[in-house]
């Protein structure tokens, strides 16, 4: 029994060390990719685990195709089941990183999320997968999680996918300050760029021609 206990203890140490490494890595990458201080004053406290299409996990800082990112992902972080959270996804590089005049483009906003159950949250903006414009180069995408003080009354209007004004120039810092959300408790970053599947995605998912 002592051996079993020792093994479990060692496994616990290994898991803790791995978690610390992941958290430090995502904070480092946020700074290297200039999210801090361009978009955030401080990096998120821990790594947000993102799984797309129940098939693959997002590796922070890596590049994925729009096709791989077309459907709403599953999120996992160190959540308190009794707390409420806000989930936000933005692209700070709209229409491109050299001239981000629409910074940031809002791709997803769900508030009052109970614990990890994003599907039970209040959706202000439904998930809108990355669809980088042609010749826009590489674009960064952030998914951030904020812990709320409680279940809150948000006065934001529902944003339709077809309403560009509602998605353009979303200021995540001002939003966080407005509702006193503090520093993101979890986050992740990945990249994507235009490919010849983007026009098909726009027609299929949003009935829009590029």
């Amino acid at each position: 029994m002592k051996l079993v206990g020792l093994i479990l203890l060692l496994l616990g140490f290994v898991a803790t060390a791995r978690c610390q490494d992941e958290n430090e890595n995502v904070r480092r990458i946020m700074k290297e990719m200039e999210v801090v201080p361009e978009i955030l004053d401080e990096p998120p406290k821990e790594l947000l685990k993102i799984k797309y299409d129940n098939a693959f996990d997002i590796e922070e800082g890596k590049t994925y195709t729009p096709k791989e990112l077309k459907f709403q992902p599953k999120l996992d972080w160190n959540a308190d089941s009794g707390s409420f959270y806000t989930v936000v996804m933005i692209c700070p590089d709209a229409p491109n990183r050299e001239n981000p005049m629409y910074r940031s483009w809002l791709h997803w906003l769900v508030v009052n999320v109970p614990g990890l159950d994003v599907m039970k949250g209040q959706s202000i903006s439904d998930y809108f997968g990355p669809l980088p414009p042609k010749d826009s180069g590489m674009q960064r995408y952030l998914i951030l999680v904020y812990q709320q003080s409680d279940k809150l009354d948000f006065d934001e209007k529902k944003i339709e996918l077809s309403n560009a004004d509602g998605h353009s120039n979303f200021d995540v810092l001002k939003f966080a300050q407005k509702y006193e959300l503090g520093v993101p408790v979890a986050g992740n970053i990945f990249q994507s760029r235009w490919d010849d599947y983007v026009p098909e995605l726009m027609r299929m998912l949003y009935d829009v021609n590029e």
Side-chain angles (χ1 to χ4, degrees):
M1 293 296 293
K2 290 183 178 179
L3 180 58
V4 173
L6 181 59
I7 291 173
L8 292 175
L9 184 61
L10 289 173
L11 289 174
F13 282 137
V14 170
T16 299
R18 183 183 299 119
C19 183
Q20 290 175 343
D21 288 344
E22 290 176 342
N23 296 342
E24 290 175 4
N25 189 51
V26 74
R27 290 194 290 267
R28 175 182 59 80
I29 289 177
M30 290 280 184
K31 293 177 181 178
E32 287 180 356
M33 298 184 70
E34 301 179 331
V35 171
V36 179
E38 278 187 11
I39 316 303
L40 302 174
D41 291 332
E42 297 180 48
K45 297 177 181 179
E46 67 175 69
L47 174 68
L48 173 65
K49 296 181 180 179
I50 306 172
K51 183 181 288 290
Y52 269 94
D53 202 23
N54 292 320
F56 66 94
D57 296 315
I58 290 293
E59 186 175 349
E60 54 272 24
K62 300 301 181 183
T63 301
Y64 301 87
T65 69
K67 184 178 181 179
E68 291 174 313
L69 308 170
K70 63 183 177 181
F71 295 130
Q72 179 177 314
K74 182 178 180 181
L75 307 180
D76 187 19
W77 69 94
N78 186 27
D80 175 0
S81 61
S83 294
F84 292 91
Y85 296 87
T86 289
V87 173
V88 57
M89 175 177 169
I90 57 173
C91 172
D93 304 325
N96 56 65
R97 192 163 180 177
E98 290 70 32
N99 182 32
M101 60 188 297
Y102 302 129
R103 172 179 291 171
S104 291
W105 191 273
L106 181 65
H107 281 261
W108 192 19
L109 180 57
V110 187
V111 299
N112 288 326
V113 174
L116 289 170
D117 200 343
V118 177
M119 298 302 292
K120 288 186 178 178
Q122 174 190 346
S123 177
I124 294 176
S125 179
D126 293 338
Y127 179 80
F128 184 96
L131 296 171
K134 193 172 185 179
D135 300 322
S136 62
M138 198 71 73
Q139 293 192 340
R140 298 168 294 174
Y141 295 86
L142 301 173
I143 302 184
L144 305 169
V145 177
Y146 292 86
Q147 185 169 8
Q148 301 172 192
S149 58
D150 202 341
K151 190 171 185 179
L152 303 176
D153 290 326
F154 288 83
D155 60 11
E156 316 298 317
K157 294 181 180 179
K158 175 75 174 182
I159 302 173
E160 302 301 328
L161 293 177
S162 59
N163 182 4
D165 291 338
H167 293 275
S168 177
N169 300 119
F170 180 82
D171 191 323
V172 69
L173 278 182
K174 285 186 178 180
F175 183 85
Q177 290 167 359
K178 178 179 180 179
Y179 294 103
E180 300 181 347
L181 300 177
V183 176
V185 294
N188 208 333
I189 180 171
F190 50 90
Q191 300 183 100
S192 189
R193 66 188 311 158
W194 187 92
D195 63 19
D196 56 12
Y197 195 70
V198 166
E200 184 175 341
L201 277 173
M202 294 184 72
R203 288 191 296 268
M204 178 178 67
L205 297 178
Y206 309 114
D207 194 25
V208 173
N209 290 317
E210 188 178 27

